[in-house]
Amino acid sequence: MPHSTNGADSRRARHIALVILGALIVVATYLYLVVWRPTEIAHTSTGRASLIAIGGYVIGAVLLAVGSIHRLPTTTVALIPVAIALNIVVGQIVSVIGLPVYLDSIGTVLVSVLAGPAAGVVTGILTNVIWGLTLSPIALPFAVVQVVIGIFAGTAARWGMFRRVYTAPLAGLVTGVVAAMVSAPIAAFVFGGATGGGAGAIVGAFQAMGQSLLGATTLQGLLSDPVDKAITFTVVALLLIALPARFLQRFPFARAHRVFGRTGPKAAQTALAREG
Amino acid sequence: MSSTVYVDRGSPVHRLNPMTKLVAMLCVIVIVFALPVWWVSGLVLAVAIIPVAVISRCGRTLSRISATILLPILVVLFVVQGLTFPGGKTALVSWGVFTVTSEGLHFALGIGLRLVCLVLASVLLVLTTHPGDLMSALTARGMSPKFGYIISSTLQLIPAFRDRANAILLAQQARGLSVKGSPLRRIKIMMPLLGPLILGMFTDVEDRSTAMEARGFGSTARRTSLVPVPDSSVQRVSRWVMPAVSLAVIVVPFATGAL
Amino acid sequence: MTGMPLRFEEVHYRYPAGVEAIRGVSLAIEPGERVAIVGQNGAGKTTLVRHLNGILKPTVGAVHVGDWLTADHDIAELAARVGYVFQNPDEQLFARSVQADVEFGPRNLGVAPEETTRRAEQALATVGLVEQRNAHPHHLSLSERKRVALAGVLAMHTPIVVLDEPTTGQDAAGIDMVGTVLDTLAADGRTVIVITHDMDFCAEHFRRVVVMTNGQIQADGDTRTIFGLEEALAEAAVEPPQLVRLSQRLGWEYSPLNTEEFVEYCARRRSERIG
Amino acid sequence: MIRLDGVSYAYPDAVRPVLENVSLDIGRGAIAGILGASGAGKTTLAKIMAGFIPAVDGGELSGTVSVDGQGMGDLPLAEAVSRVGLVIQNPFNQISGARYTVREEIAFGLENFGVARPEMQGRVDEVAELLNLGPLLDRSPYELSGGQQQLVAIASMIVLRTPVLVMDEPTSQLDPAGTRMVFDVLSTLRGTGITVVIFEHKLELLHQHADALYVLADRSIVAAGDPTDILADARLAEWHIGSTRYTRAARAAQDRGLLAGLQHLPVSLEQAVAVFADDGGAR
């Protein structure tokens, strides 16, 4: 073999270090913005806070993605573009059909469940990069939110929360709460709360009730994100239950962590029938 | 046929190395966010973004796209912050319970101008840089080729995926599925729609990963590239000069106590 | 259940992107007729038949399905009259079992549950998939999945059935099965319209052929006559069936459409020659 | 050139093997067709030949696969794919999507293997000329017809200079015009020394282009030989492969006692003309 086990080990250590560093930066950014509450916000400007919000989140998310992508096998790499297309196209269909939810992270959740949190992280961040390249660059600062969704969905899958339809929405709720909290500083400091018509009005209402800008965007996020993520996780769980076992078992992560429970003789039978 | 907004106008801006444009865009964004004064954003807009937009001959497309993105945000920003900014004290106008404060509007102006710079600079980059060139440039600089593959491939897949979603919707309607009715009914139709879309996706993924492996995607060899990315020594130097100047612009006001 | 008359009146269709895919088509099909539509890719075959169930509405002209004008009804309503089997089964199969998928159509049309089950079983028997009724559709081969999609439309008991390329991706056994299904539909008196590239299949199962080129009808008539029109077919880039090509090479005046006709004619020539 | 000896394979968790004791030997530069009904295991066999099974799908593979005397079993996938190229059914999925012009798409594999730019340019131009792709080189692969996309897919494999090219039903998603394009490529490849293995249903075209035919049925190779002999085999019906209308007509005529003394059933138009012209035809 051209490279020794030693080289592979050190590369692996470097990737893990990147992931840990990325995660630390994201957490530190959030804590700095929320716990320290830079005093300037109360006055006239959010400039530096927003620079820290964008910079910390984007750098953290990029490090997480760079550390994660090397571990992905070709099957997973081939899955990610379709999953991102799914995020974007389903997000659009939903708005065409006129449903009161976003469902724009179905692909991210699906990939995380099948191929693990690392794959979810890459799908999440690249979804927003592509959104930025095609539709609107304002999606970019929010990349970290999709990254959070990827990590949580992958972890929930590892804990077996996608084996039953009723545990998936619970995982979705928790993910939604964290997503809302992480995105609030961006919505507040970068966008002044004005991320969309409806959301902006709600932020205004909370501010009028005496909340700070960050408080208002956090509360606004908590109103919409947990419900949306609970629905997204449920839809993914339903879809996966309807899928043939053979597809699901192709993914080493799904197999190793028995994401869908045990593979019984039934799965073997069906695998045979397909190849016949 | 991809879903990007790239417009080939062959201008000098188009011919720049993608890295040069990327560095310039990042510098602009960092400056306007690090110097939280509204006229800094205005100045950057006037001396950097608008001239480049004019040279690129993409001005009209740029204004159209940016207006679609920015207008809703700016309107909400000024209305909400003008009326409800927590630090608002000086009333400008009042109707009953509604009071517009000058602090609120000032706050909205600062954020609004920064957002205008952010959106214009990044849309300008996307309009004048083919995503393939951007990916080649980044891959040449050590980015994992997997990132480049995923991004380029997604951009080309989206239209096909949209077509397939439409085809599925039609096929199910042709079997009598009605898309009218209450939100609950409409949620129920998601399964017949998403089911085939995702099943088809799995078959495609199996095929696509086979086809990629067959062409050495899993090879550990150092990648080469058929089409060279244009570059020049002036650009190479400017990629160092721009960040240095930005840094100076940011640090000097602090050092001299001007801010 | 009997068929229903269909009528295209001077139909033009222009896609939103600006391409005029149908350029003045008038066509009448009687109840219970079996019609094959042939022609190159891009000739407008699929665009034409998609007017029947309202997926497309004419830019100019009118399409009548029985006493309905398609412009006045949406796809889901027209589904009660026109069953449409898409070329790619994977664009419609979604349920966890073959049976459930076949029941989807009749249920949408408001058919009672017991009747739905009965129809699904009958349709699965017609396409020879009774044993696989509890299997997951995606565990089946492409040939079988195409037959599931076909059964799903059969179970809707529509007076008109449209099939887009039912024989592509099928092996010999699958093609024979589709042929049998067409015969069953015809025996029921239902109107059947099929788009196909398989001219041998076309010759063996259809009595009327419509040849399309460039969004227009190049030729329309009795199968034997159409396959005798060497020039028109060449213009439409349609290669006649193997037996017709053979008879042409042999210099026969007669175009046999299937093995029986070929052998019959062969025998007659021989007896005439001897006699 | 490519040789399989006693190859058996079962998918992971499967109770029964998909293939049992498959042996075949295809010589250098030959064009070999493999026939089989839907679900006979054609795709599985194609992936075994190209080294994807068991490397990607896992499962139990016994027997040996060798290319030019070298066993494929010991090679890592990245190495195996430089010996045997694989063209899959659906040209749309074969396009990498990572590149924006046909020229770059063809070069994608060479880039992955790290071939130097000047050599890469030369090889792309050479393949483009061989397959007549010149006018398409600067277009987006996604704007092409299905047939043209399949040609690009084939070109992007040939450019890698693998000695063997396996095509898994390359025309199943194409219309007659696209199908003809792909079969015309087979004639072009003849004489280049590339060994081609093509899995196909289209009997008349296979007869025109293949040097030898193999029949895959009941999990094994059940017949092999000259296309004219294989296509006249009466057992093709049992194997759900069917036969050309020429053969069917001749068989029916024989049953009616019309073609007494006929030694070989016709399988192509030319042969049928000869047979029937003698009997009831122009004479």
Side-chain angles (χ1 to χ4, degrees):
Chain A
M1 299 280 3
H3 32 65
S4 64
T5 340
N6 235 345
D9 275 353
S10 78
R11 224 173 310 126
R12 195 178 147 72
R14 201 164 67 232
H15 297 150
I16 292 175
L18 283 175
V19 168
I20 293 172
L21 187 64
L24 282 177
I25 292 180
V26 170
V27 172
T29 307
Y30 180 75
L31 289 179
Y32 171 77
L33 292 170
V34 175
V35 179
W36 264 288
R37 297 208 176 220
T39 45
E40 57 175 331
I41 300 163
H43 308 308
T44 54
S45 170
T46 62
R48 246 159 271 150
S50 58
L51 185 63
I52 288 160
I54 298 185
Y57 278 173
V58 169
I59 291 169
V62 166
L63 291 179
L64 277 166
V66 168
S68 304
I69 199 161
H70 295 273
R71 290 195 263 152
L72 306 182
T74 303
T75 320
T76 306
V77 175
L79 176 67
I80 292 176
V82 250
I84 299 175
L86 193 69
N87 278 342
I88 291 176
V89 171
V90 171
Q92 287 172 340
I93 297 179
V94 163
S95 63
V96 168
I97 298 180
L99 292 176
V101 284
Y102 311 114
L103 297 187
D104 54 3
S105 49
I106 284 191
T108 311
V109 176
L110 196 73
V111 167
S112 314
V113 171
L114 291 172
V121 165
V122 175
T123 312
I125 185 168
L126 292 184
T127 296
N128 283 45
V129 168
I130 284 166
W131 208 274
L133 285 172
T134 54
L135 297 165
S136 162
I138 62 166
L140 274 170
F142 286 105
V144 70
V145 181
Q146 288 265 1
V147 168
V148 165
I149 296 170
I151 294 173
F152 274 69
T155 312
R158 183 178 288 201
W159 290 349
M161 294 186 82
F162 279 85
R163 282 181 210 153
R164 289 178 195 83
V165 177
Y166 54 85
T167 47
L170 285 177
L173 276 178
V174 175
T175 308
V177 170
V178 178
M181 286 164 55
V182 170
S183 63
I186 306 241
F189 305 143
V190 183
F191 294 96
T195 48
I202 295 170
V203 168
F206 280 122
Q207 285 197 49
M209 284 186 249
Q211 282 290 336
S212 70
L213 178 55
L214 181 60
T217 54
T218 308
L219 287 171
Q220 184 275 324
L222 286 175
L223 277 184
S224 65
D225 277 345
V227 177
D228 183 55
K229 299 304 169 274
I231 294 176
T232 302
F233 277 48
T234 313
V235 168
V236 171
L238 286 171
L239 284 169
L240 290 175
I241 285 172
L243 282 179
R246 174 177 173 269
F247 282 154
L248 308 179
Q249 300 303 336
R250 282 184 69 85
F251 293 90
F253 172 82
R255 264 206 315 273
H257 297 282
R258 297 198 285 120
V259 166
F260 308 101
R262 253 169 351 104
T263 57
K266 201 172 167 222
Q269 287 285 348
T270 49
L272 173 81
R274 163 103 184 157
E275 295 310 323
Chain B
M1 190 196 333
S2 81
S3 52
T4 53
V5 289
Y6 173 71
V7 195
D8 189 3
R9 293 259 198 276
S11 77
V13 182
H14 286 77
R15 286 195 298 271
L16 287 176
N17 181 296
M19 293 308 291
T20 313
K21 286 184 267 188
L22 192 63
V23 169
M25 181 198 82
L26 290 174
C27 288
V28 161
I29 292 175
V30 168
I31 290 177
V32 300
F33 278 89
L35 296 176
V37 190
W38 68 268
W39 54 262
V40 170
S41 309
L43 201 65
V44 165
L45 206 56
V47 302
I49 299 177
I50 292 176
V52 174
V54 171
I55 297 171
S56 76
R57 283 183 267 151
C58 291
R60 188 167 301 176
T61 325
L62 176 67
S63 344
R64 186 174 47 78
I65 295 179
S66 309
T68 334
I69 298 169
L70 284 167
L71 272 182
I73 295 179
L74 293 180
V75 169
V76 174
L77 181 69
F78 276 90
V79 171
V80 168
Q81 294 306 340
L83 288 171
T84 70
F85 182 60
K89 293 185 187 68
T90 323
L92 286 179
V93 205
S94 283
W95 310 274
V97 289
F98 296 106
T99 306
V100 177
T101 64
S102 73
E103 287 84 359
L105 287 183
H106 195 222
F107 178 80
L109 179 70
I111 288 198
L113 273 177
R114 280 204 297 274
L115 286 178
V116 170
C117 288
L118 172 77
V119 168
L120 287 181
S122 37
V123 172
L124 194 53
L125 172 76
V126 175
L127 277 177
T128 59
T129 314
H130 193 287
D133 295 340
L134 183 58
M135 291 309 133
S136 309
L138 288 167
T139 310
R141 262 158 229 284
M143 182 181 79
S144 162
K146 289 177 181 168
F147 280 115
Y149 168 78
I150 293 173
I151 291 176
S152 297
S153 160
T154 309
L155 289 174
Q156 307 217 46
L157 262 180
I158 290 174
F161 218 68
R162 201 174 286 140
D163 288 350
R164 186 185 297 169
N166 282 333
I168 292 169
L169 185 58
L170 291 175
Q172 302 304 34
Q173 285 176 287
R175 296 209 284 169
L177 180 76
S178 174
V179 291
K180 291 184 259 180
S182 68
L184 192 71
R185 235 206 83 67
R186 277 183 274 175
I187 286 187
K188 277 173 78 180
I189 70 172
M190 289 308 286
M191 288 321 269
L193 283 188
L194 289 179
L197 197 61
I198 288 174
L199 278 166
M201 170 178 124
F202 275 89
T203 329
D204 283 1
V205 166
E206 203 174 328
D207 270 10
R208 293 171 65 84
S209 65
T210 303
M212 277 158 64
E213 292 281 18
R215 291 163 73 190
F217 192 72
S219 154
T220 48
R222 195 180 160 74
R223 300 288 195 277
T224 48
S225 121
L226 179 71
V227 184
V229 182
D231 206 356
S232 64
S233 42
V234 176
Q235 289 190 54
R236 270 189 286 273
V237 172
S238 73
R239 287 201 291 273
W240 289 103
V241 170
M242 285 188 291
V245 169
S246 311
L247 195 67
V249 167
I250 295 164
V251 173
V252 168
F254 288 100
T256 57
L259 264 170
Chain C
M1 147 201 22
T2 52
M4 207 177 254
L6 292 172
R7 204 149 40 87
F8 288 82
E9 278 173 9
E10 260 312 299
V11 171
H12 289 255
Y13 182 77
R14 188 183 287 280
Y15 278 100
V19 183
E20 192 173 25
I22 299 294
R23 304 185 301 144
V25 166
S26 295
L27 179 68
I29 294 172
E30 297 307 313
E33 253 194 301
R34 250 200 281 183
V35 182
I37 302 182
V38 304
Q40 240 182 330
N41 268 12
K45 307 182 298 287
T46 299
T47 309
L48 184 72
V49 297
R50 288 193 165 194
H51 280 83
L52 288 173
N53 66 343
I55 290 180
L56 302 176
K57 309 279 163 103
T59 316
V60 179
V63 177
H64 300 267
V65 173
D67 55 351
W68 283 2
L69 201 58
T70 58
D72 301 337
H73 299 270
D74 68 20
I75 311 176
E77 288 168 349
L78 280 158
R81 294 191 167 188
V82 182
Y84 192 114
V85 187
F86 285 73
Q87 194 179 338
N88 181 357
D90 299 337
E91 279 171 3
Q92 62 177 70
L93 303 181
F94 74 98
R96 294 180 69 181
S97 77
V98 166
Q99 172 106 15
D101 215 296
V102 174
E103 287 179 358
F104 180 74
R107 261 194 295 126
N108 284 331
L109 297 182
V111 176
E114 313 83 66
E115 171 66 4
T116 298
T117 311
R118 197 188 62 77
R119 283 188 187 185
E121 278 165 6
Q122 187 194 10
L124 285 173
T126 312
V127 300
L129 287 176
V130 175
E131 280 176 29
Q132 287 92 327
R133 68 165 175 257
N134 292 320
H136 195 296
H138 283 260
H139 283 148
L140 306 178
S141 68
L142 174 64
S143 154
E144 290 169 322
R145 295 204 298 285
K146 285 196 85 141
R147 276 142 62 193
V148 176
L150 174 56
V153 167
L154 294 180
M156 290 166 72
H157 285 198
T158 51
I160 299 153
V161 179
V162 179
L163 298 102
D164 195 345
E165 307 223 14
T167 58
T168 48
Q170 298 269 27
D171 57 16
I175 295 176
D176 288 347
M177 175 62 73
V178 174
T180 316
V181 171
L182 293 187
D183 296 340
T184 316
L185 287 171
D188 271 4
R190 295 205 243 177
T191 309
V192 181
I193 296 163
V194 173
I195 293 177
T196 184
H197 284 307
D198 184 340
M199 294 307 135
D200 301 310
F201 175 78
C202 181
E204 285 159 8
H205 295 280
F206 296 86
R207 289 295 152 264
R208 179 175 171 190
V209 175
V210 172
V211 185
M212 289 194 72
T213 30
N214 270 330
Q216 289 175 320
I217 292 180
Q218 166 107 7
D220 172 7
D222 164 67
T223 307
R224 202 181 311 279
T225 318
I226 294 289
F227 283 133
L229 304 172
E230 284 180 64
E231 270 172 46
L233 292 182
E235 208 167 305
V238 168
E239 192 173 55
Q242 292 176 353
L243 291 181
V244 172
R245 273 185 281 150
L246 177 56
S247 68
Q248 285 166 353
R249 284 283 300 274
L250 292 169
W252 293 0
E253 303 283 288
Y254 172 78
S255 300
L257 295 178
N258 54 41
T259 315
E260 291 75 45
E261 287 185 0
F262 183 91
V263 175
E264 200 54 49
Y265 187 73
C266 215
R268 220 174 68 216
R269 281 178 71 99
R270 165 180 273 214
S271 63
E272 274 166 14
R273 208 175 38 168
I274 294 169
Chain D
M1 189 67 196
I2 182 163
R3 189 183 155 108
L4 273 68
D5 279 302
V7 167
S8 300
Y9 176 70
Y11 276 95
D13 306 329
V15 278
R16 253 188 342 163
V18 193
L19 296 174
E20 269 179 324
N21 201 17
V22 172
S23 298
L24 48 78
D25 187 358
I26 298 165
R28 184 186 302 272
I31 297 178
I34 300 188
L35 297 166
S38 177
K42 294 195 295 292
T43 297
T44 308
L45 183 56
K47 284 190 170 177
I48 288 175
M49 288 180 164
F52 282 83
I53 285 176
V56 175
D57 293 64
E60 293 277 310
L61 180 78
S62 58
T64 57
V65 180
S66 61
V67 174
D68 209 6
Q70 155 96 52
M72 290 276 281
D74 321 322
L75 298 176
L77 185 58
E79 187 69 14
V81 297
S82 62
R83 288 165 205 250
V84 181
L86 177 65
V87 175
I88 59 175
Q89 283 188 32
N90 186 343
F92 180 79
N93 284 333
Q94 182 103 24
I95 305 283
S96 73
R99 296 293 179 268
Y100 292 81
T101 62
V102 168
R103 188 193 306 277
E104 292 169 87
E105 177 65 31
I106 295 175
F108 179 68
L110 297 174
E111 293 180 338
N112 288 333
F113 285 115
V115 174
R117 186 174 294 142
E119 180 178 352
M120 192 148 50
Q121 282 163 341
R123 275 160 78 166
V124 171
D125 289 344
E126 187 191 357
V127 168
E129 200 187 313
L130 182 71
L131 300 192
N132 252 329
L133 291 171
L136 305 181
L137 282 178
D138 291 314
R139 290 179 57 190
S140 159
Y142 286 103
E143 286 168 2
L144 308 179
S145 73
Q148 290 170 326
Q149 283 184 345
Q150 195 63 280
L151 292 196
V152 172
I154 294 170
S156 57
M157 291 314 311
I158 293 176
V159 80
L160 299 177
R161 300 208 174 139
T162 57
V164 180
L165 187 61
V166 175
M167 301 194 213
D168 181 13
E169 301 198 41
T171 69
S172 67
Q173 318 246 344
L174 304 181
D175 65 333
T179 303
R180 224 165 292 129
M181 275 188 213
V182 170
F183 273 96
D184 286 345
V185 167
L186 290 184
S187 315
T188 313
L189 292 184
R190 190 180 291 286
T192 58
I194 299 179
T195 307
V196 180
V197 184
I198 179 167
F199 293 78
E200 253 298 337
H201 281 304
K202 286 157 187 144
L203 305 180
E204 199 177 5
L205 286 164
L206 270 180
H207 179 265
Q208 286 167 21
H209 293 91
D211 300 316
L213 290 182
Y214 298 80
V215 178
L216 182 63
D218 304 325
R219 297 197 281 283
S220 194
I221 297 288
V222 291
D226 181 76
T228 302
D229 298 337
I230 295 289
L231 289 177
D233 196 315
R235 294 170 297 173
L236 285 181
E238 292 163 33
W239 297 324
H240 296 310
I241 291 163
S243 39
T244 64
R245 262 65 180 182
Y246 312 121
T247 317
R248 288 190 210 182
R251 202 169 278 136
Q254 252 182 343
D255 292 347
R256 282 276 296 263
L258 290 176
L259 296 173
L262 180 71
Q263 293 295 316
H264 289 288
L265 287 173
V267 300
S268 67
L269 179 60
E270 299 309 321
Q271 293 176 0
V273 169
V275 166
F276 287 100
D278 279 344
D279 188 71
R283 199 175 56 187

